[in-house]
């Protein structure tokens, strides 16, 4: 199914859920919706195609530019490629030129490991923006952010289209594959005012979700940012048992940045990078590892027991020492001494 | 007051003659009727004869107006001269879900102006889905010296400055109840506007405001208001602060905590537990934001006599809920988030045999890739354990016809059955059939059913069932359902007690709309949005039924012949004059 390619970018690691979501979105291929769907699938397709023409696109990686002709969309929708579209790069090759580069180009197909291309930054920005917009689509326009306003108004416009009087038309089409600027895992297009939950409750839950890190059953993903790095990473805190494991994992993730830093600041480059701990590396290179806790305060990593840390950590930031005044006096002293 | 006295003596002169025929002098009749509280009973009484009509209108002190546009403030004031308490509802219910344009109307100000002239001794005002400005609140605060109770639910247009005006000027205030509103929360300083000498507050609810309030001011306020029985705090109040408040207010009957998550020492925890358990009168508990398993045990002792527990802002897991419920044997009403999952609902069935109302809200309504939440199994489990269940609001992602049939067999006394299968048009996930039989079972078995919300994949058969069996149904909400006009026609042709019908995204067109011509006059209102109704159909309706207001809300850029959103209601006040340009009155 090539539809997923234009809709989601995160499914690369969670392909099965993406396939499921794209099944729902692409009404023609869905099997969960009963047979009535088949009769109207053609009209649904037409409707969906029209919507695609008009919809606002953020150009997610792997997606096609709006200049694509209608027929190409039709072709894509009808391509019932059930294979895992992300296992290798072959389905991607089906995309004609004009497809936006991004994560998809950088996938190491064999084990799904992520390798970020340097183009990734804009996509991450988009992802962040989309993540902000997503839970608020359909919310009270007063509280919407600018992006959400755009998506909300497009939502309204789009939802308006299938309302043409067709008495027998299955209203399932009202949740068309539109405007999927969603956080991962992709939520499907939101109909205005559905499910029927009051704004206040929606807003409180949305702000709770925004605050909490993504939690599935037994995982605790938090974002890790590093000053000067062009993109962020996400780590699952539950996969580590103590600070040592955690720091070596972080070090592996961000080593490509810190090596350069070490050298440019004149500090001795370390041999056998894999043996050194991130803490030392950071202290040596004027970086400090900090985290934001549940109360919104920025704290130094390492002060509290590991379990307490994972309970309260919302996100991490690898800060430049110069900014960490008051947080990490030891680091500052070390730098001073070394200089 | 003088003019009404004059009127009164005129009336009694007229009725003196009839008094010779009737056995009751007016004063006695009025005294008897003044004991009637239900506005429906009062309406019936007023229809008996002219004497009774007059006696009723002179003895009525509370008026309930379900649709602010069905009548004008002048008409109300003319008929009921002695009103002390007003309840007013404004916008159609779907405005809660952003389906109604912002400037639609339902502004309270015109009412306040009339009330200030006719009811200077007004004491209570309860508003739902009305538009109120800060200026209106200030006007209210200064115009009614006896003003006691203000309750605002789902209203918008005001800010915390308006609340400051109320706090400053209303010397006799007993109730300030600010429920979920579109309030512009500028800051918490309004709370500090209550004067030092002010001691009469009994109900204070600011749970849905977000700004920090001055805790010192709050503590003093609670300390000097010895009659306070309802206190609902907002998130900014910490556990430690809660403890300090409770120590001074053990008489509280309803408590809404603030944030239920904080690092406490053992001593602080014990103090909190003790303060909570000292509230011997506590029957309602809410708030509990961010509550986790760590501090919930502090509540255990306080829950012994609890009848209403609102956990809908606490994302609890099933185990945490189960442990808590073990201490709530008297529970009658429970609101939870679907994070408790089916296992949590099993615990409800096991621990709460007296349960009458259950509401399960979705923690994550817009993300249905995560397989969380509750299913039909949880609902069934509750129905086995709670035979007295009569009110349910249930958000889920899957349901079966068989499960619903079992549920209503276990709980035949449903008065309110609101089932929301969150994916529009979703069938029975086991059989892939429509959910018609589920709702058929509901209306056949639950003869007392007053309110029904349907969802899932539904054909016209559902509506045949509803029209045929739902003899007591008053409110029906329909979304993404039905196949043809026939469905809606069945409902309008049956359901003798139908008052409110709200429909969105259904294939009902003009034939359906026009099949209810006479019916609409016995109803409060009809809402139809994203259906197949055209402007011509609406015009026809308006022409045939002069006592109905037919309003069409136009969306930008939509087809001119389609009536995107239609709101029809009966009115003796005629078409309204304050409609914005996007609302056409036909």
């Amino acid at each position: 199914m090539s539809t997923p390619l234009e809709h989601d970018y995160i499914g690369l690691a969670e392909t099965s859920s993406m396939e499921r979501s794209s099944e729902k979105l692409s009404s023609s291929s869905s099997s969960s919706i009963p047979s009535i769907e088949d009769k109207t699938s053609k009209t649904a397709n037409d409707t969906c195609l029209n919507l695609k023409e008009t919809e606002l696109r953020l150009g997610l990686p792997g997606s096609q530019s709006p200049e694509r002709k209608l027929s190409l969309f039709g072709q894509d929708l009808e391509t019932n490629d059930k294979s895992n579209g992300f296992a290798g790069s072959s389905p991607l090759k089906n995309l004609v030129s004009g497809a936006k580069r991004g994560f998809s180009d950088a996938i190491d197909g064999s084990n799904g490991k992520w390798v970020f291309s340097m183009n990734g930054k804009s996509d991450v920005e988009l992802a962040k923006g989309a993540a902000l917009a997503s839970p608020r689509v359909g919310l009270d326009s007063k509280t919407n952010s600018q992006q959400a306003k755009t998506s909300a108004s497009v939502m309204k416009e789009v939802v308006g289209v299938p309302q043409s009087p067709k008495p027998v038309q299955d209203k399932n089409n009202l949740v068309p594959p539109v405007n999927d600027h969603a956080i991962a895992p992709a939520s499907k297009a939101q109909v205005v005012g559905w499910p029927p939950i009051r704004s206040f409750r929606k807003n409180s839950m949305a702000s709770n979700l925004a605050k909490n890190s993504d939690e599935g059953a037994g995982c605790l993903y938090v974002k890790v940012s590093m000053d000067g790095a062009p993109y962020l990473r996400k780590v699952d805190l539950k996969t580590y048992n103590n600070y040592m494991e955690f720091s070596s994992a972080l070090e592996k993730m961000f080593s490509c940045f810190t090596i350069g830093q070490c050298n440019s600041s004149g500090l001795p480059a370390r041999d056998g990078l894999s043996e050194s701990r991130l803490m030392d590396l950071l202290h040596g290179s004027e970086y400090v590892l900090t985290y934001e806790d549940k109360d919104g305060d920025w704290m130094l990593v390492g002060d509290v027991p590991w379990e307490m840390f994972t309970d309260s950590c919302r996100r991490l930031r690898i800060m430049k020492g110069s900014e960490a005044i008051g947080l990490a006096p030891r680091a500052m002293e070390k730098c001073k001494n070394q200089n | 007051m003088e003019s009404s006295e004059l009127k009164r003596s005129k009336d009694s002169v007229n009725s003196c003659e009839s008094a010779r025929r009737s056995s009751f002098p007016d004063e006695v009749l009025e005294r008897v009727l003044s004991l009637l509280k239900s506005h429906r009973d009062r309406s019936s009484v007023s229809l008996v004869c002219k004497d009774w009509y007059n006696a009723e209108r002179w003895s009525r002190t509370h008026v309930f107006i379900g649709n602010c546009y069905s009548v004008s403030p002048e008409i109300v004031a003319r008929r009921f001269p002695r009103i002390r308490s007003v309840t007013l509802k404004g916008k159609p219910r779907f405005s809660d879900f952003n389906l109604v344009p912002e400037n639609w109307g339902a502004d309270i100000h015109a009412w306040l102006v009339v009330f200030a002239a006719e009811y200077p001794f007004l004491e209570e005002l309860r508003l739902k889905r009305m538009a109120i400005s800060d200026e209106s609140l200030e006007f209210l605060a200064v115009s009614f010296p006896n003003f006691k109770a203000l309750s605002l639910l789902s209203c918008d247009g005001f800010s915390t400055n308006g609340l400051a005006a109320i706090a400053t000027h209303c010397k006799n205030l007993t109730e300030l109840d600010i429920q979920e509103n579109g309030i512009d929360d500028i800051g918490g300083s309004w709370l500090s506007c209550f004067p030092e000498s002010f001691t009469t507050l009994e109900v204070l609810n600011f749970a849905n405001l977000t700004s920090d309030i001055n805790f010192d001011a709050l503590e003093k306020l609670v300390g000097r208001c010895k009659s306070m029985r309802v206190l609902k705090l907002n998130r900014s109040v910490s556990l430690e602060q809660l403890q300090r408040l409770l120590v001074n207010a053990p008489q509280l009957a309803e408590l809404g905590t603030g944030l239920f998550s904080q690092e406490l020492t053992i001593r602080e925890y014990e103090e909190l537990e003790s303060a909570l358990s000292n509230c011997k009168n506590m029957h309602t508990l809410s708030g509990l934001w961010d509550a986790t398993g760590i501090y919930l045990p502090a509540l255990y002792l306080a829950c012994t006599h609890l009848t209403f527990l609102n956990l809908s802002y606490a994302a609890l897991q099933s185990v945490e809920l189960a442990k808590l419920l073990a201490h709530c044997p008297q529970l009658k009403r429970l609101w939870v988030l679907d994070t408790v999952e089916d296992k949590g609902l099993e615990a409800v069935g096991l621990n709460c045999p007296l349960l009458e109302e259950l509401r399960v809200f979705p923690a994550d309504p817009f993300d249905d890739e995560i397989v969380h939440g509750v299913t039909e199994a949880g609902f069934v489990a509750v129905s086995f354990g709670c035979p007295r269940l009569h009110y349910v609001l249930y958000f889920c992602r899957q349901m079966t016809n068989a499960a619903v049939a079992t549920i209503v067999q276990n709980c035949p006394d449903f008065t309110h059955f609101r089932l929301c299968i969150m994916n529009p048009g979703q069938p029975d996930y086991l059989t892939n059939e429509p959910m018609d039989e589920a709702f058929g079972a509901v209306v056949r078995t639950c003869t007392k059913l007053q309110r029904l919300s349907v969802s899932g994949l539904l054909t016209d058969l559902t509506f045949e069932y509803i029209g045929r069996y739902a003899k007591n149904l008053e409110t029906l909400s329909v979304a993404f359902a039905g196949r043809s006009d026939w469905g809606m026609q069945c409902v309008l042709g049956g359901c003798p007690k139908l008052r409110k019908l709200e429909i969105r995204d259904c294939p009902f067109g003009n034939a359906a709309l026009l099949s209810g011509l006479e019916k609409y006059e016995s109803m409060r209102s009809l809402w139809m949005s994203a259906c197949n109704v055209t402007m011509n159909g609406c015009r026809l309706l308006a022409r045939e039924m002069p006592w109905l207001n037919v309003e069409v809300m136009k969306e930008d850029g939509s087809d001119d012949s389609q009536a995107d959103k239609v709101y029809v209601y009966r009115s003796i006040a005629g078409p309204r004059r304050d409609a914005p340009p996007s609302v056409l009155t036909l």
Side-chain angles (χ1 to χ4, degrees):
Chain A
M1 240 176 297
S2 50
T3 320
L5 296 175
E6 61 186 290
H7 283 297
D8 70 81
Y9 52 92
I10 292 299
L12 310 170
E14 300 167 36
T15 51
S16 56
S17 61
M18 281 309 102
E19 284 191 336
R20 259 184 283 133
S21 86
S22 55
E23 272 178 14
K24 277 189 189 167
L25 296 171
S26 166
S27 43
S28 59
S29 57
S30 168
S31 56
S32 61
I33 301 176
S35 54
I36 295 149
E37 199 56 37
D38 293 336
K39 285 186 210 158
T40 52
S41 61
K42 274 246 166 68
T43 27
N45 269 343
D46 294 339
T47 322
C48 296
L49 296 176
N50 289 333
L51 296 174
K52 278 188 181 40
E53 286 265 67
T54 58
E55 81 181 41
L56 198 63
R57 309 286 302 271
L58 287 186
L60 300 172
S63 64
Q64 293 166 5
S65 309
E67 307 87 68
R68 307 276 12 121
K69 282 194 226 155
L70 213 57
S71 55
L72 192 61
F73 279 102
Q75 197 175 0
D76 289 340
L77 277 176
E78 278 146 28
T79 306
N80 261 334
D81 181 1
K82 296 274 189 205
S83 69
N84 181 336
F86 310 100
S89 51
S90 46
L92 298 174
K93 287 187 183 141
N94 289 337
L95 289 177
V96 280
S97 60
K100 303 201 178 352
R101 285 176 56 87
F103 302 175
S104 49
D105 291 318
I107 298 168
D108 175 1
S110 52
N111 56 5
K113 191 174 167 193
W114 294 48
V115 175
F116 284 68
S117 69
M118 290 320 283
N119 287 340
K121 174 177 186 179
S122 58
D123 294 317
V124 169
E125 303 277 14
L126 290 171
K128 282 203 275 193
L132 282 173
S134 168
R136 294 192 177 270
V137 173
L139 280 181
D140 186 348
S141 54
K142 273 187 275 192
T143 56
N144 273 345
S145 62
Q146 197 50 45
Q147 282 163 316
K149 259 204 178 104
T150 317
S151 16
S153 54
V154 177
M155 275 303 309
K156 283 182 186 167
E157 178 198 354
V158 159
V159 170
V161 171
Q163 304 311 320
S164 51
K166 282 178 193 161
V168 192
Q169 183 178 21
D170 190 343
K171 287 301 172 177
N172 288 333
N173 294 338
L174 279 169
V175 197
V178 166
N179 271 356
D180 210 7
H181 320 140
I183 47 172
S187 54
K188 67 178 170 200
Q190 293 164 32
V191 180
V192 174
W194 188 266
I197 299 167
R198 284 209 189 123
S199 306
F200 178 81
R201 188 172 289 282
K202 265 197 291 200
N203 292 347
S204 341
M205 295 329 300
S207 57
N208 275 348
L209 286 175
K211 277 187 199 162
N212 299 337
S213 29
D214 300 352
E215 265 181 64
C219 58
L220 192 59
Y221 279 97
V222 295
K223 289 183 189 172
V224 186
S225 64
M226 178 163 181
D227 289 355
Y231 47 82
L232 282 67
R233 302 299 300 269
K234 259 203 171 164
V235 291
D236 180 358
L237 291 181
K238 290 251 156 73
T239 58
Y240 311 109
N241 295 316
N242 53 46
Y243 281 119
M244 272 190 56
E245 285 179 20
F246 181 53
S247 60
S248 53
L250 278 186
E251 166 218 319
K252 285 193 190 105
M253 264 189 200
F254 286 94
S255 53
C256 49
F257 301 117
T258 52
I259 296 170
Q261 293 291 340
C262 272
N263 290 334
S264 61
S265 66
L267 295 167
R270 301 177 108 94
D271 297 325
L273 211 53
S274 55
E275 289 163 8
S276 58
R277 298 172 54 210
L278 186 65
M279 298 296 203
D280 296 340
L281 189 67
L282 292 180
H283 289 176
S285 62
E286 299 180 31
Y287 279 90
V288 173
L289 184 59
T290 63
Y291 71 101
E292 185 185 12
D293 72 0
K294 273 188 186 145
D295 301 322
D297 299 320
W298 285 93
M299 320 279 289
L300 184 69
V301 169
D303 284 339
V304 298
W306 175 253
E307 283 76 23
M308 199 182 290
F309 167 67
T310 53
D311 260 342
S312 57
C313 172
R314 271 207 246 136
R315 55 187 164 128
L316 285 131
R317 181 176 162 201
I318 305 175
M319 273 176 150
K320 281 203 161 75
S322 49
E323 285 184 44
I325 295 167
L327 263 185
R330 285 174 292 139
M332 293 307 297
E333 283 171 23
K334 247 191 180 173
C335 293
K336 280 188 210 157
N337 292 340
Q338 276 158 354
N339 290 341
Chain B
M1 260 331 207
E2 274 185 18
S3 58
S4 45
E5 290 292 284
L6 273 175
K7 263 201 290 188
R8 178 132 171 50
S9 49
K10 265 196 201 155
D11 280 338
S12 54
V13 163
N14 286 338
S15 58
C16 260
E17 277 139 56
S18 49
R20 276 182 237 129
R21 290 193 295 274
S22 93
S23 37
F24 280 165
D26 288 337
E27 292 77 21
V28 175
L29 188 55
E30 268 181 48
R31 185 79 178 86
V32 168
L33 293 182
S34 67
L35 301 172
L36 273 181
K37 299 296 173 208
S38 150
H39 65 273
R40 282 192 207 178
D41 288 343
R42 284 184 159 271
S43 294
S44 310
V45 157
S46 67
L47 294 173
V48 170
C49 65
K50 194 157 180 225
D51 281 348
W52 283 46
Y53 177 87
N54 278 327
E56 193 278 313
R57 59 186 270 263
W58 280 101
S59 63
R60 196 190 285 219
T61 55
H62 169 247
V63 67
F64 169 86
I65 299 162
N67 174 4
C68 65
Y69 286 119
S70 63
V71 73
S72 75
E74 292 83 4
I75 294 175
V76 173
R78 218 168 23 237
R79 177 169 171 190
F80 301 114
R82 285 200 189 148
I83 296 297
R84 303 263 154 153
S85 164
V86 176
T87 302
L88 258 176
K89 295 190 184 178
K91 302 182 196 179
R93 191 178 78 97
F94 279 173
S95 72
D96 284 350
F97 318 127
N98 303 320
L99 289 180
V100 173
E102 259 180 56
N103 54 351
W104 182 84
D107 196 306
I108 189 63
H109 202 79
W111 291 84
L112 290 178
V113 167
V114 173
F115 290 163
E118 305 294 333
Y119 304 138
F121 299 112
L122 189 69
E123 294 175 3
E124 296 183 4
L125 191 60
R126 294 174 201 284
L127 304 179
K128 188 169 182 182
R129 292 192 200 102
M130 299 287 295
I132 315 164
S133 64
D134 286 343
E135 288 71 34
S136 295
L137 283 172
E138 178 142 14
F139 180 77
L140 168 68
V142 301
S143 307
F144 303 98
N146 256 14
F147 195 72
K148 294 200 169 115
L150 179 65
S151 169
L152 302 174
L153 170 58
S154 266
C155 299
D156 65 347
F158 64 107
S159 76
T160 39
N161 288 339
L163 299 184
I166 299 286
T168 307
H169 299 292
C170 297
K171 306 274 181 275
N172 295 312
L173 201 68
T174 59
E175 177 174 341
L176 184 59
D177 180 29
I178 310 300
Q179 297 187 47
E180 301 168 8
N181 293 296
I183 182 173
D184 189 5
D185 194 338
I186 297 173
S189 56
W190 61 273
L191 192 93
S192 312
C193 292
F194 285 109
E196 298 274 328
S197 55
F198 176 73
T199 59
T200 50
L201 206 57
E202 296 170 22
V203 174
L204 178 61
N205 176 4
F206 61 99
N208 298 129
L209 298 181
T210 46
S211 297
D212 290 0
I213 39 94
N214 180 332
F215 181 71
D216 200 47
L218 176 64
E219 196 175 11
K220 292 199 178 113
L221 178 68
V222 174
R224 59 179 189 268
C225 294
K226 292 296 175 200
S227 308
M228 192 170 280
R229 47 184 175 81
V230 176
L231 179 61
K232 297 188 181 172
L233 309 166
N234 73 357
R235 282 184 82 117
S236 73
V237 178
S238 70
L239 279 179
E240 206 194 316
Q241 291 171 332
L242 173 67
Q243 187 265 339
R244 280 161 62 183
L245 289 172
L246 289 178
V247 159
N248 280 329
Q251 78 282 2
L252 284 178
E254 297 184 26
L255 173 66
T257 73
L259 203 64
F260 214 75
S261 166
Q262 186 185 343
E263 306 269 331
L264 292 180
T265 65
I266 303 232
R267 170 132 170 272
E268 283 167 340
Y269 174 88
E270 282 171 0
E271 282 175 353
L272 176 66
E273 191 182 30
S274 160
L276 282 164
S277 60
N278 269 342
C279 297
K280 303 285 182 212
N281 294 335
M282 195 162 76
H283 58 70
T284 294
L285 183 61
S286 59
L288 302 168
W289 279 287
D290 293 0
T292 61
I294 310 178
Y295 294 121
L296 283 178
L299 294 171
Y300 290 171
L301 294 173
C303 287
T304 336
H305 303 292
L306 217 55
T307 55
F308 178 21
L309 181 56
N310 180 353
L311 296 168
S312 61
Y313 293 104
L316 296 191
Q317 307 298 309
S318 53
V319 174
E320 294 162 336
L321 178 67
K323 284 192 197 155
L324 178 57
L325 289 180
H327 295 87
C328 308
Q330 310 288 330
L331 215 55
K332 290 192 179 156
R333 301 171 65 197
L334 177 64
W335 296 16
V336 290
L337 281 177
D338 66 357
T339 50
V340 302
E341 298 186 355
D342 290 334
K343 270 197 78 70
L345 294 181
E346 282 171 32
V348 173
L350 288 172
N351 287 295
C352 306
L354 302 179
L355 199 69
E356 297 176 14
E357 174 179 330
L358 175 68
R359 302 195 195 197
V360 181
F361 294 95
D364 215 343
F366 302 114
D367 194 345
D368 47 20
E369 289 314 313
I370 294 180
V371 183
H372 280 343
V374 293
T375 72
E376 77 280 7
F379 198 167
V380 170
V382 174
S383 74
F384 274 113
C386 309
R388 299 193 194 184
L389 200 61
H390 69 82
Y391 190 123
V392 137
L393 169 61
Y394 200 81
F395 285 86
C396 59
R397 292 191 170 91
Q398 65 186 48
M399 189 50 64
T400 68
N401 289 305
V404 175
T406 306
I407 288 161
V408 292
Q409 201 175 5
N410 294 337
C411 304
D413 296 330
F414 272 113
T415 55
H416 297 69
F417 192 92
R418 303 165 64 186
L419 177 63
C420 182
I421 304 168
M422 288 192 275
N423 185 11
Q426 182 173 300
D428 178 324
Y429 81 99
L430 285 181
T431 65
N432 250 357
E433 282 170 7
M435 295 296 296
D436 296 334
E437 294 310 316
F439 294 104
V442 172
V443 292
R444 259 196 302 269
T445 317
C446 306
T447 52
K448 301 180 200 163
L449 195 69
Q450 292 168 21
R451 182 171 179 183
L452 179 65
S453 300
V454 298
S455 59
L457 179 66
L458 300 174
T459 71
D460 289 340
L461 185 56
T462 299
F463 302 103
E464 280 185 39
Y465 288 145
I466 294 174
R468 198 183 314 154
Y469 295 110
K471 297 298 176 201
N472 286 313
L473 192 66
E474 296 178 16
T475 304
L476 179 63
S477 306
V478 185
F480 305 103
R483 288 284 163 79
S484 72
D485 288 335
W486 174 240
M488 187 170 163
Q489 285 166 336
C490 286
V491 171
L492 290 171
C495 300
K497 296 203 183 161
L498 194 65
R499 290 189 306 116
K500 284 178 283 183
L501 181 57
E502 42 185 33
I503 302 173
R504 64 165 292 181
D505 295 279
C506 295
F508 303 139
N510 292 336
L513 176 72
L514 296 169
S515 68
L517 285 186
E518 283 86 40
K519 187 89 172 185
Y520 301 139
E521 274 190 346
S522 65
M523 287 169 56
R524 183 188 294 175
S525 64
L526 166 74
W527 168 281
M528 283 180 81
S529 62
C531 297
N532 292 336
V533 172
T534 68
M535 290 298 291
N536 285 335
C538 296
R539 286 193 195 103
L540 193 57
L541 175 62
R543 205 162 44 233
E544 293 295 314
M545 307 296 297
W547 289 111
L548 296 180
N549 281 356
V550 180
E551 296 182 9
V552 177
M553 281 155 266
K554 300 293 292 170
E555 306 261 279
D556 293 333
S558 68
D559 187 357
D560 273 341
S561 64
Q562 285 304 108
D564 311 308
K565 293 177 183 170
V566 182
Y567 185 51
V568 179
Y569 56 93
R570 64 180 175 188
S571 175
I572 56 174
R576 61 185 176 115
R577 278 156 295 198
D578 62 351
S582 59
V583 176
L584 304 170
T585 306
L586 301 177

